[in-house]
Amino acid sequence: MDLYRSIVNSFYIENAYQEWKDYREHLTDLLIKAYEKCETSAASSEKKLKLLIAGGGLCNDVDIERLKEKYSITVMDIDENGKKYFNDKKYVNYILQTFTGIGENEYREFLNKMLIIAGNVKGRISFEELDINAYDFIKGMEDRISINNDIPRCDVLICAGVHSQLFSMFPYIFEIIIENLYNAGLLDNESKSLEDLYLSSKFMEKVKRLNQKFIPEFNKSLIAAANNLCLFSFESGGVEGAIEGRIDLEENYKEKIIIKDSYDWNFNLKENKIYHMDIYLLQK
């Protein structure tokens, strides 16, 4: 297995479906409420509403079996494993597309660039050299980043835990390279901690600015795709992407928020990782 594929596979949590049970049921209950709130005669006409799960992947955070009784379900994501998983499930239409205009090719390109730089190390390499190369790459990538305007129309839309993942692969790859060099004693970090290096990173700041620029347009495109209601779920605190998504809703869609909720998501019990989620239901 190549390194990029190993990195992607490291994101999958072995017992996610079991461990996410409570969070999944909470989001599913809200989607059932959304169904009931829709101003439609779908129930009496026996015509199902259209549900779009934006960035659902394997959909471990929603109960597809419950939802399929109420909704005609479409999942839109870049996750090929999700596509394979739902391939024989005729009640789910899976659209394999990126929301940002970038995907595996760009991530592989970035990984290869950073590996070449790290592989050419003779002695030690400065953090600044790696940082400026990563910065130049992401800056040159900006013209490839674009809003996907082909998000299918739906009655209800859910986008849960996605905003923090839109550009996260770039920092994740960067940190893997940096930490391996650091652990091998090949990184000239002037006795600074990795945390301090990341805080001073031009590359990390650039990714933050990408989120600030892209996410309001991303929210706008998602909300425009839904005829009735949108359900969003963001990690609380300082998680990049989630910050920008939450701020945008609070500032630009406050009058549309009909439910504001919170819930603890047992994301990875093995690593004792729990996310406190801020949840919003918007009505058009």
Side-chain angles (χ1 to χ4, degrees):
M1 184 182 296
D2 66 271
L3 179 57
Y4 174 77
R5 191 51 52 190
S6 296
I7 291 171
V8 171
N9 288 344
S10 71
F11 284 96
Y12 293 98
I13 299 170
E14 185 177 355
N15 298 313
Y17 194 81
Q18 291 77 19
E19 293 180 2
W20 297 6
K21 178 179 181 296
D22 292 342
Y23 177 59
R24 177 173 60 254
E25 292 307 306
H26 188 71
L27 290 184
T28 303
D29 287 345
L30 287 171
L31 287 172
I32 299 300
K33 283 185 181 179
Y35 173 86
E36 294 167 353
K37 283 180 176 292
C38 284
E39 295 178 0
T40 177
S41 59
S44 60
S45 66
E46 298 182 359
K47 180 182 178 182
K48 292 181 179 180
L49 296 178
K50 293 179 181 179
L51 172 66
L52 175 63
I53 305 173
L58 296 172
C59 294
N60 286 320
D61 51 3
V62 292
D63 190 334
I64 294 292
E65 294 302 315
R66 282 180 66 195
L67 294 172
K68 72 178 184 179
E69 303 302 320
K70 304 284 188 182
Y71 292 104
S72 170
I73 301 170
T74 295
V75 179
M76 185 173 176
D77 201 340
I78 196 174
D79 187 349
E80 292 186 4
N81 286 334
K83 174 73 171 176
K84 292 174 185 175
Y85 176 76
F86 285 109
N87 192 47
D88 62 346
K89 294 176 173 56
K90 304 303 180 187
Y91 48 83
V92 173
N93 174 34
Y94 200 101
I95 301 173
L96 192 65
Q97 281 192 29
T98 171
F99 290 106
T100 61
I102 58 175
E104 181 171 333
N105 290 339
E106 288 76 18
Y107 300 140
R108 285 185 179 275
E109 189 179 338
F110 180 61
L111 175 61
N112 290 338
K113 179 181 178 66
M114 298 306 293
L115 286 173
I116 289 170
I117 296 168
N120 288 334
V121 171
K122 292 180 174 57
R124 291 161 65 85
I125 187 171
S126 70
F127 176 83
E128 287 74 16
E129 181 178 348
L130 291 161
D131 188 44
I132 196 64
N133 275 278
Y135 172 85
D136 287 344
F137 180 91
I138 204 78
K139 189 171 186 294
M141 188 67 59
E142 282 189 273
D143 61 349
R144 300 193 209 176
I145 296 172
S146 61
I147 288 288
N148 187 331
N149 292 315
D150 294 325
I151 298 174
R153 298 289 301 182
C154 58
D155 297 297
V156 177
L157 179 145
I158 177 172
C159 186
V162 174
H163 291 66
S164 60
Q165 304 303 307
L166 292 171
F167 301 110
S168 65
M169 185 61 80
F170 290 121
Y172 193 75
I173 289 170
F174 182 70
E175 289 175 5
I176 287 174
I177 300 297
I178 294 296
E179 287 170 21
N180 275 279
L181 289 169
Y182 179 87
N183 292 333
L186 297 174
L187 185 69
D188 184 1
N189 60 320
E190 299 177 351
S191 300
K192 292 181 180 178
S193 68
L194 288 178
E195 183 179 359
D196 286 340
L197 290 173
Y198 294 146
L199 285 172
S200 67
S201 167
K202 286 185 65 178
F203 165 72
M204 293 296 202
E205 180 63 26
K206 183 63 176 176
V207 173
K208 179 179 179 179
R209 291 202 300 271
L210 279 179
N211 278 316
Q212 290 171 341
K213 179 180 178 181
F214 182 85
I215 283 177
E217 293 301 315
F218 179 54
N219 278 351
K220 184 178 178 180
S221 68
L222 293 176
I223 293 169
N227 295 327
N228 289 287
L229 294 117
C230 300
L231 182 63
F232 292 93
S233 185
F234 307 102
E235 299 91 339
S236 296
V239 179
E240 285 299 328
I243 299 171
E244 292 79 8
R246 188 171 56 247
I247 289 173
D248 179 57
L249 291 192
E250 293 278 8
E251 291 184 351
N252 299 312
Y253 301 95
K254 194 167 187 177
E255 75 285 354
K256 297 182 184 298
I257 298 171
I258 59 171
I259 293 177
K260 188 175 177 182
D261 193 13
S262 61
Y263 204 84
D264 285 338
W265 178 16
N266 294 323
F267 183 76
N268 190 333
L269 293 180
K270 185 177 180 180
E271 298 181 5
N272 197 30
K273 187 177 289 186
I274 299 173
Y275 288 118
H276 184 72
M277 305 300 289
D278 293 323
I279 301 170
Y280 298 81
L281 184 64
L282 279 66
Q283 188 160 33
K284 297 287 288 289

